[in-house]
Amino acid sequence: MSAVTDAVPVNPPAHPVVQSVRDSLVIAKRNLIRMSRIPEMVIFGLIQPIMFVVLFSYVFGGSMNIGGTTDPSVYREFLMAGIFAQTVTFATAGAGAGIADDMHKGLIDRFRSLPMARGAVLTGRTLADLVQTALTVFVLAIVALLVGWRTHTSVGEVLAAFALLLLLGYAFTWVGALIGLSVRTPEAATSGGLIWLFPVTFISNAFVDSSRMTPWLQHVADWNPFSATVQACRKLFGNPGVSPSDAWPMVHPVWASLIYSVLIVLIFRTLAVRKYRSAAA
Amino acid sequence: MPGAIYAEGLVKTFGDVKALDGVDLDVPEGTVLGLLGPNGAGKTTTVRCLTTLLRPDRGRAVVAGVDVLKHPNDVRRSIGLSGQFAAVDEYLTGRENLQMVGRLYQMRAKAAKARAAELLEQFDLADAADRPAKTYSGGMRRRLDLAAALVVSPPVMFMDEPTTGLDPRNRQLLWDVIKRLVSGGTTLLLTTQYLEEADHLAHDIAVVDHGRVIARGTSDQLKARTGGERVEVVVHERDDMPAASEVLRGFGKGDTTVEEHMRKLTVPVTGGAKLLAEVIRELDTRGIEIDDIGLRRPTLDDVFLSLTGHVAEAKDASDEQEPGQKAAKEAAK
Ligand SMILES: Nc1ncnc2c1ncn2[C@@H]1O[C@H](COP(=O)(O)OP(=O)(O)O)[C@@H](O)[C@H]1O
Ligand SMILES: [Mg+2]
């Protein structure tokens, strides 16, 4: 086994940023390969939002008052921004469960014993999730068009709305990463990653007109980061039901959505990377 | 000058469990240290401290000439780790796993690819190289895990219970790999629950219990302390015991222990199987009928018994379980 003692060509030490990008891409590729080998996960990730579109629009469709009308087709247009936003946030649970699983299987130990960039394992995972989220949103948009959803603005505005959605999803995967590193089992990460999403997505303007909520709930909904993205999407899509509230995030939803998402990334990335460095499987 | 692996006074506490209680180690370059101890002794915690995965509460460690606590990332360039449980991505193929690890050791893509192919060949995994690791047997996963630890041919290697839970054939295969590795000059710290394994692979053995090194020496030195090999005979007729005792005295290297009620006689010997055959022949010649006879080699239990006066605790099969089950068991404690 002479090869064991042979010197192996290794890159000269790179700039930390270059190394971080390179390592993150290696990990992202690994996670994308995994996803392609577990297609069920991707498919279930698609079925759920499609079911929501169909259920919400046909079950709630006739009884929801949006901007003074209960016309189901108006509710359908109103609903889509909410469903898109909810769908991207569900990527959180996948990221959390994946990272908890890596910890459980000892892979995080292996990665931590390698001379690689510290944040790369988590960044790579969140990037792979972003790709999956984009794919899900794309399929969902097609389904939405089929059930009658339309945009009434320029292509640029529509693309900006999707960019904000993906940014929100990306931000939420960092919350999932932190949850995944904090729990003991992948199962706990899945349920722990989902539970908190229900209040966040329901105490918002996503599915109902928040101006009809009791005042304190409306206040929470207006300042909910999730609502800001939904409001921004409705505005950028030209869909009905834009909240008339005069809370700052509702008046400037595009800025609010951008600022909220960037803040979530900065805060939760810092916390998650710190947790990763001391993670004990 | 400290060796390739050096530790001084490592202490690590988890809640009220003192996992390490002042571990000192010194492994000269190019040698193998066997860290021998029962389940829960602190072997894995020691390895995790030395491989930068865990920060000890107190103590100092130097690996490959670099201070582990001050420059963990420089240490990582010089070490390979094969943890207690095979850490391979089961949805990736063997080849993809090794290429990924190569890239993360900062190898160029082409070099990582070539190295992966070479290792798959060496570890007898070439045929399974392009199948997801999920389809591998336990032994194959272990080999893949070990190959991953060897991607950059690190000068210092750590292996945590590399053969626990493997069948004899796979154990032998892994022993061969480890021996070749060591003959190439790698410094190795290996943990094990089996004296036989430490005996086979290690130059020096450190026995750990309750987070401390309670004895160190070569395997011969340890065995000498435990009385080495013994022949045990159970005779059929109680009346034959004096005659049998006389036979054993002729072959033995010490006093014969007699357990009357069990008709059992034990005597320390040297000479192994060949001597055992002679004992049997001699007993036969004298017409002494025997129920059972055997050569007993010292086990971890014997070493423990002689060092601590108690047998190794908690030496159960839990390490052979999947990490999930182990975690569940620990959570239940
Ligand atoms: N992360 C941890 N949290 C709490 N206790 C731990 C942890 N890791 C190890 N221990 C405890 O420390 C002791 C030593 O464990 P370990 O080093 O795994 O032993 P070994 O590898 O020799 O079986 C055991 O009592 C174990 O339960
Ligand atoms: Mg252990």
Side-chain angles (χ1 to χ4, degrees):
Chain A
M1 202 193 279
S2 64
V4 166
T5 48
D6 287 350
V8 170
V10 173
N11 277 320
H15 186 276
V17 175
V18 175
Q19 189 189 345
S20 182
V21 170
R22 204 160 52 196
D23 290 350
S24 298
L25 291 178
V26 171
I27 297 289
K29 181 179 162 198
R30 168 226 167 197
N31 281 301
L32 288 172
I33 294 174
R34 276 175 74 90
M35 284 171 194
S36 75
R37 304 234 163 104
I38 326 173
E40 313 87 270
M41 297 273 282
V42 181
I43 290 166
F44 288 146
L46 275 171
I47 290 175
Q48 184 173 331
I50 291 171
M51 222 152 66
F52 273 30
V53 172
V54 176
L55 288 175
F56 273 89
S57 56
Y58 291 99
V59 177
F60 292 175
S63 47
M64 288 292 188
N65 189 323
I66 300 300
T69 170
T70 53
D71 183 345
S73 66
V74 171
Y75 182 66
R76 211 165 293 153
E77 288 222 337
F78 165 84
L79 175 69
M80 275 322 297
I83 300 266
F84 277 131
Q86 195 194 33
T87 303
V88 299
T89 61
F90 272 65
T92 315
I99 286 164
D101 191 49
D102 284 350
M103 252 206 341
H104 194 61
K105 301 248 164 75
L107 274 162
I108 297 285
D109 268 4
R110 156 131 291 147
F111 291 138
R112 287 181 61 229
S113 76
L114 296 176
M116 61 184 286
R118 295 289 81 189
V121 169
L122 303 178
T123 306
R125 170 78 212 194
T126 55
L127 288 177
D129 279 313
L130 183 61
V131 173
Q132 192 189 343
T133 305
L135 182 75
T136 310
V137 167
F138 179 74
V139 175
L140 188 61
I142 292 171
V143 174
L145 287 170
L146 291 177
V147 299
W149 170 70
R150 293 292 178 272
T151 59
H152 310 279
T153 47
S154 68
V155 175
E157 281 162 298
V158 172
L159 290 180
F162 281 114
L164 285 179
L165 282 168
L166 292 180
L167 181 63
L168 178 74
Y170 184 70
F172 273 44
T173 55
W174 280 103
V175 181
L178 183 64
I179 294 173
L181 288 168
S182 308
V183 297
R184 283 172 177 278
T185 66
E187 293 75 21
T190 310
S191 46
L194 284 175
I195 291 168
W196 67 279
L197 285 178
F198 289 102
V200 167
T201 56
F202 280 86
I203 306 176
S204 77
N205 57 357
F207 309 110
V208 296
D209 180 351
S210 53
S211 62
R212 288 162 168 267
M213 294 176 180
T214 49
W216 73 270
L217 265 185
Q218 188 194 340
H219 199 67
V220 174
D222 282 349
W223 286 87
N224 183 345
F226 180 76
S227 296
T229 304
V230 175
Q231 176 92 337
C233 288
R234 281 195 187 122
K235 233 176 163 174
L236 292 167
F237 288 148
N239 285 160
V242 172
S243 164
S245 159
D246 56 8
W248 192 85
M250 293 295 103
V251 180
H252 307 281
V254 175
W255 280 110
S257 167
L258 201 61
I259 293 169
Y260 271 139
S261 294
V262 169
L263 274 180
I264 294 173
V265 172
L266 290 180
I267 294 170
F268 284 87
R269 187 176 197 279
T270 308
L271 293 176
V273 171
R274 182 180 304 166
K275 186 104 196 155
Y276 171 86
R277 296 172 76 134
S278 64
Chain B
M1 194 199 143
I5 304 172
Y6 177 80
E8 195 183 295
L10 293 181
V11 173
K12 181 74 198 177
T13 315
F14 296 108
D16 50 0
V17 178
K18 206 154 201 187
L20 299 185
D21 191 12
V23 168
D24 303 320
L25 294 172
D26 193 355
V27 190
E29 207 178 308
T31 68
V32 182
L33 176 75
L35 208 58
L36 177 71
N39 222 348
K43 303 183 297 296
T44 298
T45 307
T46 305
V47 169
R48 289 173 59 88
C49 284
L50 295 172
T51 53
T52 77
L53 298 180
L54 201 62
R55 237 189 134 75
D57 301 335
R58 265 190 285 136
R60 205 166 78 84
V62 179
V63 169
V66 183
D67 189 307
V68 178
L69 294 174
K70 288 196 191 123
H71 307 287
N73 220 36
D74 293 334
V75 170
R76 292 182 191 116
R77 281 180 230 289
S78 307
I79 60 170
L81 167 67
S82 175
Q84 185 165 350
F85 305 103
V88 298
D89 187 324
E90 48 188 8
Y91 288 98
L92 262 53
T93 65
R95 191 187 306 280
E96 286 164 347
N97 265 292
L98 294 181
Q99 283 178 6
M100 172 180 73
V101 171
R103 294 289 282 149
L104 296 175
Y105 267 116
Q106 313 302 319
M107 284 168 78
R108 293 171 213 278
K110 230 176 128 183
K113 202 168 167 178
R115 181 66 178 146
E118 195 175 279
L119 284 165
L120 288 163
E121 199 66 51
Q122 272 176 31
F123 282 78
D124 202 11
L125 289 168
D127 291 338
D130 297 308
R131 280 195 345 236
K134 219 160 103 76
T135 65
Y136 288 15
S137 69
M140 290 164 80
R141 275 179 211 217
R142 253 293 163 202
R143 273 182 275 149
L144 181 60
D145 184 70
L146 200 55
L150 294 175
V151 165
V152 287
S153 313
V156 180
M157 280 279 305
F158 295 86
M159 295 184 196
D160 196 0
E161 299 196 25
T163 68
T164 301
L166 290 189
D167 59 68
R169 197 189 132 263
N170 271 303
R171 174 168 298 177
Q172 192 59 52
L173 238 144
L174 226 63
W175 280 1
D176 293 344
V177 170
I178 294 170
K179 276 190 199 154
R180 266 183 291 164
L181 178 67
V182 171
S183 67
T186 304
T187 307
L188 170 65
L189 187 148
L190 165 112
T191 81
T192 180
Q193 298 196 35
Y194 309 115
L195 182 59
E196 191 197 356
E197 180 160 286
D199 193 6
H200 219 81
L201 299 173
H203 299 104
D204 276 303
I205 298 176
V207 183
V208 283
D209 190 31
H210 298 303
R212 336 185 51 122
V213 176
I214 57 170
R216 67 184 76 205
T218 63
S219 111
D220 285 340
Q221 286 165 346
L222 283 176
K223 278 199 217 154
R225 289 177 70 165
T226 61
E229 294 176 332
R230 286 178 301 260
V231 167
E232 258 180 27
V233 184
V234 178
V235 297
H236 189 66
E237 296 289 342
R238 187 166 296 227
D239 295 345
D240 283 338
M241 286 185 78
S245 181
E246 203 187 307
V247 172
L248 290 184
R249 195 172 316 126
F251 290 102
K253 291 278 177 272
D255 295 339
T256 308
T257 323
V258 180
E259 288 164 86
E260 280 277 350
H261 58 289
M262 292 174 73
R263 303 186 309 279
K264 185 157 121 187
L265 301 102
T266 310
V267 71
V269 296
T270 52
K274 191 159 162 279
L275 179 112
L276 181 66
E278 285 171 33
V279 175
I280 294 173
R281 228 173 287 133
E282 183 63 24
L283 289 168
D284 198 42
T285 315
R286 302 221 187 169
I288 300 169
E289 195 178 339
I290 55 177
D291 280 353
D292 194 16
I293 187 163
L295 189 65
R296 228 167 100 71
R297 293 203 161 92
T299 63
L300 175 63
D301 280 329
D302 298 320
V303 172
F304 258 76
L305 198 58
S306 72
L307 288 172
T308 66
H310 65 83
V311 291
E313 290 157 27
K315 189 177 168 273
D316 56 27
S318 75
D319 275 16
E320 294 172 27
Q321 294 168 348
E322 287 297 303
Q325 287 167 289
K326 191 173 177 241
K329 223 178 127 182
E330 270 165 13
K333 269 185 200 165

